[in-house]
Amino acid sequence: MHQLTLAEIARALADKQFSSAELTGSLLSRIEQLDPQLNSFITVTADQALEQAKAADARRAAGESGALLGAPIAHKDLFCTQGVLTSCGSKILTGFKAPYDATVVEKLKAAGTVTLGKLNMDEFAMGSANESSHYGPVKNPWDTSRVPGGSSGGSAAAVAARLLPAATGTDTGGSIRQPAALTNLTGIKPTYGRVSRWGMIAYASSLDQGGPLARTAEDCALLLGAMAGFDPKDSTSVDQPVDDYLAALTQPLAGLRIGLPKEYFGAGLDARIGENVMAVVEALKKLGATVRDISLPNMQHAIPAYYVIAPAEASSNLSRFDGVRFGYRCENPKDLQDLYKRSREEGFGAEVKRRIMVGTYALSAGYYDAYYLKAQKIRRLIKNDFVAAFKDVDVILGPTTPNLAWKLGEKNADPVSAYLEDIYTITANLAGIPGLSMPAGFVDGLPVGVQLLGNYFQEGRLLNVAHQYQQVSDWHKQAPSGF
Ligand code: GLN
């Protein structure tokens, strides 16, 4: 059962091959048996999951249908879940049980999903390796001495290891697409504003978006259809109808115009990854796509701009964690200042502190124009590059990451070397456009991801291209040995 995709599970549940309670029970025992090798879960909500599964079975028995009714999933631990620990991977949220469900959680619950628990992540979603979690690093099931990517590394490792068919993640600079690439999954970051951020603990509010990680584009379409939509509780949520992503999957690719940005294939890219990506391009050409070279000239400025804007927003967002209102509080504070200081000093990890300092510096009166304002101007130039490119092409294609999954600990001494891993993904967040990563083969037994970027609200087109590729390839079906 654990090898089935969400779409296959939906058919099996409809055909009564097994019940959601049976499926849930079997996945819970897989998690218990195998997750100690991976550390992908922070909390397993076994009792609640079995109850939800029984309720879903009862709804089916009463004649209800729905592709996600009884489907097991889990949430990245930055989505608020009522009554269940929501830690954001941080010590500072020790013991924090959210008083409400995030909109994404609520919508997926309403669709009948069964929540198996909460997934490990980089602290406050800051990272590309899932090593900064207070709950310990997550291991990549393809090689447990390597990182699964981050920050949605728990989501990626759990789905790749077949502990569950799909999970939610969030992507501020690549955190859905990069771990999807390093673990052989399909994941999509929607257009900014497509998925509600209400109840999603904020890292960098103008960049954060929630989205699904799964094994196939079809499963991502199923989940995104349930997650997306206008939410009056999120003022940046866009009031526009949600496309029928499942219907979009079957569109033929004849006439699809693909752009290959020269900046995505230059220095810094592992040449073997480049070869796999070009093999995908050839396959898409056979399906009727045409290809042309394009340029995104401001891409070289994306990392410096992102690593000013994201920490600036984070430094403001994280000021709410003061030891008074949420989670962790230091012992025996002398006075209020001491309580703030020591709760934050003891509650936040090193990477989070680094970013709060960088962000506070960039926003300070004397430096605001030189850093923050400048970074926002670069952001506009990057957006304009995409707007210009999408006049001539429908989809932009390139590698998701410049390198394969690296060894645990390898980049810890040099944070900038980890920041450079985000080079191909962060532009989409800066511009607000959707991006998808899908499996594109293996190098030395490690997964390679190819990234598709689309114009605003073109999620359906990205899922369509990925689905059509997955009809003629079987990379996405490969499972890591031992799982
Ligand atoms: N690696 C990037 C960062 O550390 C992106 C993280 C994310 O998308 N949440 O900020």
Side-chain angles (χ1 to χ4, degrees):
M1 274 188 271
H2 60 267
Q3 296 290 0
L4 301 177
T5 64
L6 281 178
E8 289 162 348
I9 288 170
R11 285 192 285 275
L13 289 174
D15 293 350
K16 300 194 170 43
Q17 288 172 28
F18 48 75
S19 67
S20 173
E22 283 166 331
L23 173 64
T24 300
S26 118
L27 293 178
L28 286 169
S29 42
R30 254 182 94 69
I31 292 168
E32 198 180 332
Q33 198 193 333
L34 297 171
D35 199 45
Q37 292 175 56
L38 302 172
N39 197 29
S40 65
F41 276 83
I42 291 177
T43 306
V44 179
T45 48
D47 294 343
Q48 183 186 305
L50 286 167
E51 254 170 55
Q52 289 174 342
K54 281 182 199 146
D57 286 335
R59 279 166 68 179
R60 261 190 204 276
E64 238 184 277
S65 58
L68 294 174
L69 184 56
I73 59 160
H75 296 294
K76 183 175 183 178
D77 209 15
L78 64 53
F79 287 97
C80 285
T81 43
Q82 189 171 15
V84 175
L85 174 70
T86 298
S87 76
C88 233
S90 182
K91 180 176 173 187
I92 209 153
L93 280 171
T94 301
F96 172 65
K97 290 191 177 163
Y100 58 83
D101 282 332
T103 297
V104 162
V105 172
E106 200 178 271
K107 277 175 168 278
L108 287 170
K109 254 190 197 169
T113 59
V114 171
T115 312
L116 301 183
K118 304 294 293 291
L119 295 157
N120 206 344
M121 55 180 285
D122 276 306
E123 187 178 3
F124 284 102
M126 297 173 185
S128 313
N130 217 128
E131 291 183 287
S132 74
S133 169
H134 173 61
Y135 297 87
V138 177
K139 320 278 169 55
N140 190 326
W142 290 91
D143 175 348
T144 52
S145 70
R146 290 177 190 271
V147 302
S151 63
S152 313
S155 307
V159 177
R162 275 71 180 153
L163 305 185
L164 74 176
T168 57
T170 61
D171 191 312
T172 303
S175 281
I176 288 176
R177 291 160 288 156
Q178 186 253 12
L182 301 193
T183 59
N184 201 41
L185 297 182
T186 307
I188 181 166
K189 177 203 92 74
T191 305
Y192 183 76
R194 181 68 298 180
V195 168
S196 168
R197 291 184 298 112
W198 199 76
M200 222 175 87
I201 296 174
Y203 161 17
S205 312
S206 77
L207 301 159
D208 299 340
Q209 264 295 285
L213 287 112
R215 297 199 285 268
T216 63
E218 185 181 22
D219 282 5
C220 285
L222 264 172
L223 277 179
L224 186 59
M227 292 167 77
F230 175 59
D231 181 3
K233 289 188 280 212
D234 171 1
S235 61
T236 59
S237 152
V238 178
D239 192 358
Q240 182 172 312
V242 177
D243 294 335
D244 184 341
Y245 300 128
L246 281 179
L249 296 178
T250 51
Q251 196 186 330
L253 296 192
L256 174 79
R257 298 167 306 165
I258 298 177
L260 302 179
K262 70 171 192 288
E263 294 80 7
Y264 274 68
F265 294 89
L269 173 65
D270 181 330
R272 302 166 302 172
I273 293 181
E275 281 166 25
N276 282 44
V277 170
M278 290 316 291
V280 175
V281 172
E282 288 308 313
L284 292 174
K285 275 192 195 161
K286 285 205 186 104
L287 295 175
T290 58
V291 176
R292 70 167 72 178
D293 293 326
I294 61 164
S295 174
L296 299 167
N298 291 292
M299 189 176 125
Q300 52 173 322
H301 307 303
I303 289 192
Y306 173 90
Y307 279 98
V308 169
I309 294 169
E313 294 185 16
S315 70
S316 165
N317 278 326
L318 270 55
S319 64
R320 75 191 61 177
F321 302 104
D322 55 7
V324 177
R325 286 166 294 183
F326 312 97
Y328 179 78
R329 178 178 301 169
C330 68
E331 300 220 351
N332 307 317
K334 277 204 311 277
D335 52 26
L336 189 60
Q337 282 302 323
D338 187 44
L339 179 142
Y340 290 153
K341 264 201 204 151
R342 275 202 297 121
S343 299
R344 286 168 69 82
E345 186 188 320
E346 293 164 21
F348 288 133
E351 185 59 29
V352 173
K353 285 180 190 158
R354 178 170 15 248
R355 297 200 191 192
I356 290 173
M357 286 192 287
V358 169
T360 306
Y361 182 83
L363 289 177
S364 59
Y367 297 105
Y368 180 91
D369 289 356
Y371 295 107
Y372 186 73
L373 198 63
K374 188 77 156 227
Q376 290 290 21
K377 289 179 178 171
I378 290 171
R379 182 174 191 174
R380 174 54 63 100
L381 294 177
I382 288 169
K383 180 195 165 189
N384 290 349
D385 282 355
F386 280 115
V387 169
F390 285 125
K391 289 200 174 113
D392 299 323
V393 300
D394 304 308
V395 163
I396 293 174
L397 184 150
T400 309
T401 63
N403 293 300
L404 301 165
W406 58 94
K407 292 266 186 197
L408 285 149
E410 195 180 314
K411 293 186 192 281
N412 286 359
D414 178 9
V416 174
S417 75
Y419 298 170
L420 292 172
E421 291 296 320
D422 301 336
I423 177 76
Y424 305 137
T425 49
I426 54 177
T427 49
N429 304 74
L430 289 168
I433 59 170
L436 174 150
S437 180
M438 65 170 175
F442 295 85
V443 169
D444 288 346
L446 295 170
V448 170
V450 62
Q451 176 174 235
L452 305 170
L453 299 172
N455 210 340
Y456 297 98
F457 297 102
Q458 291 298 305
E459 287 80 6
R461 193 55 160 154
L462 300 184
L463 291 162
N464 165 229
V465 176
H467 179 72
Q468 291 301 319
Y469 178 67
Q470 291 177 348
Q471 303 313 296
V472 297
S473 64
D474 61 5
W475 306 123
H476 60 288
K477 296 184 183 151
Q478 311 295 317
S481 72
F483 295 96

